[in-house]
Amino acid sequence: MKASARLEIGDTICELPMIEGTEHERGIDISALRSTTGCITVDEGYANTGSCISRITFIDGEKGILRYRGIDIEELAEKSHFIETAYLIIYGHLPNQAELARFSELLTQNQCLHELMKYHFEGFPATAHPMAMLSSMINASSCFYPGLMGRRNAARFDVQAARLISQVRTIAAFSYRKSRGLPIIYPKRSYNYTTNFLHMMFSEPYEDYQPEPEAVRALDLIFLLHADHEQNCSTSTVRMVASSQANLFACAAAGVCALWGPLHGGANQAVIEMLEEIHRAGDDGSAFIAAAKDKTSGKRLMGFGHRVYKSYDPRARIIRRACDELLARRHVSDPLLDIAKRLEEAALHDPYFMEHKLYPNVDFYSGIIMRTLGMPVDMFPVIFAIGRTPGWIANVKEIMDDPKARIYRPRQIYMGPPKSPYVPLEQRQ
Ligand code: ACO
């Protein structure tokens, strides 16, 4: 017999079916609640709400487990690369050689922007944040592909997905070049995805950037570790937009906007700004930790805490190790890394952080790697967005492939004024 939950509202008893996931996580299906009882549930911030049933990514926040399509993130970080992992996330299985070759070829064929897109870049001021440019340009890009509109077509989806993954990277690099007044560098056919990004960022018309394998590997790892993270703020936004059957590029542009904020993907930029502030102040970290615990200070320890992880974020552990390796191979040190490690050490032994179960998240160390690679700080959330694109696409695909998919439309409890008359202008106080 299937398990159910019983809910008593006054004299009414409502039987609610239970749903159990692959890893035994349990949910109560309330989809018939309003029609049978007239009530809705209220869960501001959605901390207790499962917005969908998904087959893409599994997280156990208590145990610090993250899996894409069933494969542990640690194993993917060690054995896979971003493009293979992107395929896994979107199509649900690791590609065989032919599938990977076809996917890579599609990415290469679709990496150049429409030439007219160059003029759109001209309109941005030099101070424009690259995340603003990225979301605008992803949306603008959709104007050049009328085929984007009829989405329920598998062959067309493959091309549009590859186009989006490829062009997000090209737009990101062009945005950086434009914001610095530098000439645009086009992608090269011979380079792989991540090398091409470094090439478009750092080559000059008179001199090619020489991609170092360790830089390519470190950046590729960052992309891979960000590739999906189930129903986070930006992915939920993407699913919300996708549920109205908006096109893939429109969904991704919305995802970039949601990702931008400092509580989400903008945290990697905020972490470096915080570490720089601590460094400038000559603080050993203790003053900042004290401020982060003081609710009146308006400060938080950026890169710490997570809605789902109540233990160490497995991505943070991998990135911290990668950070050490990259700096050691380059024989460089970064005072900000030393501060970050001191902050972590202090926070992990501090009763406030322990009681609140606050641990480093993916953003705590990723900025150190990006800085070491020469990325400017305002590009950090953009790099996050490049990495997250396959996850957004997979979530859109899941909605597209679901014949029962409905528009996302939550309800609310209205607490505004009761019915009131319209007061003519001359009678208003
Ligand atoms: N520093 C200090 N205190 C914190 C922090 C922090 N980084 N994070 C949470 N807290 C405290 C809150 O003040 C609150 O305390 P209280 O219960 O005593 O009032 C408690 O922990 C719970 O915090 P919430 O904000 O309710 O937790 P929520 O799950 O809503 O937020 C979030 C999670 C946004 C990640 C939060 O931990 C945060 O702001 N962290 C810093 C920003 C950051 O690193 N964001 C990146 C997250 S990962 C990602 O999106 C890629």
Side-chain angles (χ1 to χ4, degrees):
M1 206 178 79
K2 275 199 158 176
S4 65
R6 280 162 73 85
L7 180 67
E8 208 177 314
I9 307 171
D11 295 336
T12 314
I13 293 184
C14 183
E15 291 274 349
L16 300 166
M18 302 278 297
I19 299 181
E20 187 163 316
T22 310
E23 300 294 334
H24 311 298
E25 69 278 25
R26 299 199 308 159
I28 302 169
D29 177 355
I30 57 154
S31 48
L33 185 67
R34 190 170 179 279
S35 58
T36 49
T37 68
C39 291
I40 60 167
T41 55
V42 178
D43 181 24
E44 281 198 51
Y46 308 133
N48 302 283
T49 297
S51 62
C52 60
I53 291 174
S54 178
R55 291 173 174 76
I56 305 167
T57 289
F58 171 72
I59 304 175
D60 182 329
E62 271 68 37
K63 294 189 186 138
I65 295 173
L66 168 62
R67 292 184 195 133
Y68 298 157
R69 301 284 187 181
I71 305 179
D72 280 325
I73 194 68
E74 291 81 2
E75 200 172 358
L76 288 167
E78 190 192 327
K79 299 177 183 163
S80 186
H81 55 81
F82 175 60
I83 291 307
E84 183 184 68
T85 295
Y87 187 100
L88 167 73
I89 288 175
I90 296 170
Y91 295 104
H93 63 273
L94 285 168
N96 62 28
Q97 281 182 7
E99 287 167 333
L100 187 58
R102 180 172 174 272
F103 187 51
S104 301
E105 182 55 27
L106 266 185
L107 292 172
T108 304
Q109 281 170 7
N110 287 287
Q111 64 190 353
C112 284
L113 305 182
H114 194 287
E115 214 29 38
L116 286 176
M117 287 278 288
K118 276 203 308 202
Y119 301 107
H120 288 260
F121 284 101
E122 308 295 338
F124 291 107
T127 49
H129 195 288
M131 282 296 262
M133 287 195 248
L134 183 64
S135 68
S136 317
M137 297 304 275
I138 291 173
N139 236 339
S141 191
S142 73
C143 306
F144 296 95
Y145 309 112
L148 264 173
M149 299 310 158
R151 287 187 309 108
R152 290 185 189 277
N153 175 320
R156 205 154 45 191
F157 175 84
D158 289 350
V159 174
Q160 303 303 3
R163 184 170 279 155
L164 182 59
I165 293 174
S166 220
Q167 296 202 353
V168 159
R169 175 202 55 177
T170 308
I171 292 170
F174 282 18
S175 304
Y176 163 73
R177 304 283 304 179
K178 273 288 159 196
S179 71
R180 303 300 193 272
L182 299 167
I184 278 175
I185 303 291
Y186 285 82
K188 279 194 182 185
R189 195 178 169 80
S190 57
Y191 283 158
N192 70 22
Y193 186 89
T194 301
T195 308
N196 239 332
F197 180 58
L198 287 164
H199 158 69
M200 287 189 279
M201 288 283 295
F202 299 126
S203 283
E204 296 299 344
Y206 49 86
E207 188 176 34
D208 266 5
Y209 167 84
Q210 297 302 324
E212 296 160 323
E214 83 237 12
V216 175
R217 176 70 195 138
L219 186 58
D220 197 81
L221 180 69
I222 298 260
F223 288 152
L224 183 153
L225 293 174
H226 287 84
D228 194 42
H229 211 236
E230 52 119 302
Q231 303 314 314
N232 56 83
C233 176
S234 56
T235 303
S236 297
T237 303
V238 165
R239 282 189 88 113
M240 174 72 84
V241 178
S243 78
S244 78
Q245 299 190 358
N247 74 67
L248 188 61
F249 279 50
C251 298
V256 172
C257 293
L259 187 70
W260 190 358
L263 296 189
H264 190 16
N268 50 21
Q269 176 171 352
V271 167
I272 293 297
E273 287 162 359
M274 171 188 79
L275 296 174
E276 279 170 344
E277 182 190 325
I278 294 172
H279 188 48
R280 270 196 308 273
D283 173 19
D284 65 354
S286 51
F288 197 92
I289 293 265
K293 293 190 284 184
D294 173 5
K295 309 274 187 227
T296 62
S297 73
K299 291 188 194 276
R300 281 190 168 195
L301 186 53
M302 301 311 286
F304 255 71
H306 199 276
R307 172 63 62 79
V308 181
Y309 292 118
K310 300 301 164 201
S311 60
Y312 213 104
D313 180 335
R315 302 166 300 172
R317 189 171 283 118
I318 298 168
I319 293 183
R320 184 183 153 145
R321 198 166 46 238
C323 216
D324 283 335
E325 283 168 14
L326 180 68
L327 267 63
R329 267 204 222 114
R330 291 201 164 183
H331 306 290
V332 291
S333 62
D334 185 339
L336 298 196
L337 177 60
D338 300 335
I339 294 173
K341 285 183 175 172
R342 272 206 305 276
L343 284 174
E344 179 189 331
E345 184 63 18
L348 293 183
H349 293 95
D350 186 294
Y352 172 92
F353 290 88
M354 288 160 79
E355 276 155 28
H356 285 79
K357 299 191 175 159
L358 301 170
Y359 295 85
N361 60 47
V362 69
D363 295 311
F364 196 62
Y365 289 107
S366 61
I368 309 269
I369 293 193
M370 294 190 255
R371 241 164 85 87
T372 309
L373 299 180
M375 298 290 168
V377 77
D378 57 359
M379 283 296 286
F380 294 3
V382 171
I383 288 167
F384 192 148
I386 297 173
R388 185 53 54 86
T389 302
W392 291 338
I393 292 170
N395 276 273
V396 174
K397 186 172 187 318
E398 208 163 58
I399 289 182
M400 277 173 58
D401 293 347
D402 179 2
K404 292 199 191 128
R406 302 173 76 191
I407 191 161
Y408 282 21
R409 203 318 187 171
R411 290 194 175 249
Q412 63 164 18
I413 299 290
Y414 175 70
M415 293 278 195
K419 180 175 161 58
S420 322
Y422 174 83
V423 181
L425 181 58
E426 60 281 6
Q427 291 172 23
R428 288 177 217 159
Q429 300 291 322

